[in-house]
Amino acid sequence: RKYNSDSNVTGESKEEPQVIIGTSAHSVDTALSTWKKYKPDYFFVGTCYLTKSHPEKNASDLEGPTLPGIVRRRLHDERKVEDSHNVPHVFAIGGIDDENCHEPVVKYGADGVAVIRAVMQSSEPRQTVLEMKEQMQ
């Protein structure tokens, strides 16, 4: 499509660009207030496990693998009350690897996981992702 600065040349309606907006949350309250105000498309929720990305956190500081599922359920409950916007996807983040990726999703109800180190440091990144995906089904 070709557009000039004020209107389109082809006569088609000018569409807003597709964007996806996401943010992180470390508590249910933060996720709910952020969703009500900004309506993000997704949340990264955690830190679920110990990770080198947050070396200042010890085991007692972690939000844990249950929080993403709890946030997801609360957002779904809130949507039923407000019915004003699609519920965002909730992804577990922080220390996710091939041994624990199933917990936040299968056991606790997160929509998926966000992973960096376990994939990027793997000698077979594609295979690692496929194996993790299989464990989460």
Side-chain angles (χ1 to χ4, degrees):
R1 295 182 183 158
K2 295 181 180 178
Y3 299 100
N4 66 24
S5 61
D6 297 324
S7 63
N8 67 45
V9 173
T10 64
E12 296 177 34
S13 65
K14 203 174 195 180
E15 293 180 21
E16 300 244 350
Q18 293 282 328
V19 295
I20 298 173
I21 299 170
T23 189
S24 61
H26 298 278
S27 73
V28 172
D29 290 340
T30 300
L32 289 174
S33 63
T34 301
W35 181 73
K36 287 177 182 179
K37 186 172 183 177
Y38 299 106
K39 304 292 191 235
D41 299 296
Y42 69 88
F43 281 96
F44 288 145
V45 177
T47 305
C48 292
Y49 304 98
L50 292 173
T51 175
K52 291 179 183 177
S53 299
H54 291 285
E56 75 283 1
K57 289 190 174 188
N58 59 46
S60 64
D61 297 325
L62 300 175
E63 288 81 12
T66 60
L67 184 61
I70 294 168
V71 166
R72 183 179 181 275
R73 285 188 295 281
R74 290 290 304 277
L75 288 168
H76 278 264
D77 291 346
E78 194 70 25
R79 183 189 175 276
K80 290 175 190 170
V81 172
E82 290 194 12
D83 200 32
S84 62
H85 189 270
N86 291 334
V87 177
H89 293 286
V90 177
F91 300 100
I93 193 168
I96 307 290
D97 62 28
D98 58 339
E99 293 183 16
N100 63 25
C101 63
H102 68 284
E103 287 184 333
V105 177
V106 176
K107 287 175 95 173
Y108 303 118
D111 290 306
V113 297
V115 183
I116 299 172
R117 192 172 325 282
V119 172
M120 299 309 296
Q121 291 183 351
S122 170
S123 60
E124 300 272 344
R126 183 175 305 277
Q127 187 61 34
T128 298
V129 169
L130 292 172
E131 289 170 5
M132 290 174 80
K133 184 177 175 183
E134 187 176 309
Q135 288 182 44
M136 291 184 286
Q137 294 180 7

